[in-house]
């Protein structure tokens, strides 16, 4: 962690910016983290999690992740195990960059995004959100206006990843092998605007 490296950390009403990490967590690297009313911006990680790298659980609310960069998970990189969840509520993830995958968020494990905006992030694949495994529950969220140079500007995942998207605006859900599963089974629960 370029700015903070800890097993468990709580951050409230703070700004964490302009930090650099050689590997993961340009701004923050933690197992368990709670972030409330904070800004994580302009941090750089050599591998994963430009703004934040999580290895267990995170609860993020009322916060902004912007201008961060990494190879994967430009804004947030989250990898958790069964029973662990990363929750993002009333937050903005914008203007982050990943050179490989997941410009805004890279997730492996269960993820819940509610009443949030993920936009203007950039990556080679999955400019907005990439889900490698587990289930991503996206509710009342804008996930649009992201950019990808190769595949899936806004949203994609590996086969086996689950998506439960409700009352949300999804700009471009470009899938490969997972197109049949997500496109047909979940379409009725997606916003009519996607």
């Amino acid at each position: 962690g370029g700015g903070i490296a800890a097993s468990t950390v709580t951050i409230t009403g703070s700004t964490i910016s302009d930090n650099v990490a050689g590997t993961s967590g340009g701004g923050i690297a933690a197992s368990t983290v709670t972030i409330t009313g904070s800004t994580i911006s302009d941090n750089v990680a050599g591998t994963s999690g430009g703004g934040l790298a999580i290895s267990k659980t995170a609860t993020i609310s009322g916060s902004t992740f912007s201008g961060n960069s990494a190879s994967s998970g430009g804004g947030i990189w989250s990898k958790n195990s069964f029973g662990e969840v990363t929750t993002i509520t009333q937050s903005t993830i914008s203007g982050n960059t990943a050179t490989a995958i997941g410009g805004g968020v890279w997730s492996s494990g269960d993820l819940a995004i509610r009443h949030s905006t993920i936009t203007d992030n950039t990556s080679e694949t999955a400019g907005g959100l990439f889900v490698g495994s587990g289930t991503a529950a996206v509710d009342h969220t804008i996930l649009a206006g992201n950019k990808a140079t190769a595949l899936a500007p806004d949203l994609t995942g590996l086969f086996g990843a689950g998506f439960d998207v409700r009352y949300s605006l999804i700009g471009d859900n470009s899938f490969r092998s997972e197109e049949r599963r997500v496109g047909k089974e979940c379409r009725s629960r997606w916003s009519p605007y996607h």
Side-chain angles (χ1 to χ4, degrees), residues 177-194:
S177 60
E178 57 277 53
E179 182 175 359
R180 180 176 60 207
R181 179 171 184 261
V182 174
K184 292 184 178 178
E185 292 182 13
C186 295
R187 189 175 296 275
S188 64
R189 295 186 295 187
W190 288 39
S191 161
Y193 303 105
H194 83 282

Side-chain angles (χ1 to χ4, degrees), residues 5 13-14 36 40 44 68 71-72 104-105 107-108 111 121 134 146 148 150 161 169 174 177 180 187-188 192:
S14 300
T36 306
I40 316 299
V44 178
N68 303 290
S71 177
S72 61
V105 180
S107 175
S108 177
L111 172 71
N121 301 286
N146 300 284
L169 191 155
S174 301
S177 60
R180 180 176 60 207
R187 189 175 296 275
S188 64

Side-chain angles (χ1 to χ4, degrees), residues 106-154:
W106 182 102
S107 175
S108 177
D110 289 341
L111 172 71
I113 304 173
R114 304 184 183 102
H115 299 275
S116 294
T117 299
I118 301 175
T119 190
D120 197 31
N121 301 286
T122 304
S123 183
E124 181 179 29
T125 298
L129 169 63
F130 172 80
V131 180
S133 65
T135 298
V138 181
D139 183 31
H140 287 85
T141 287
I142 296 171
L143 210 171
N146 300 284
K147 305 173 189 70
T149 57
L151 172 72
D154 293 308

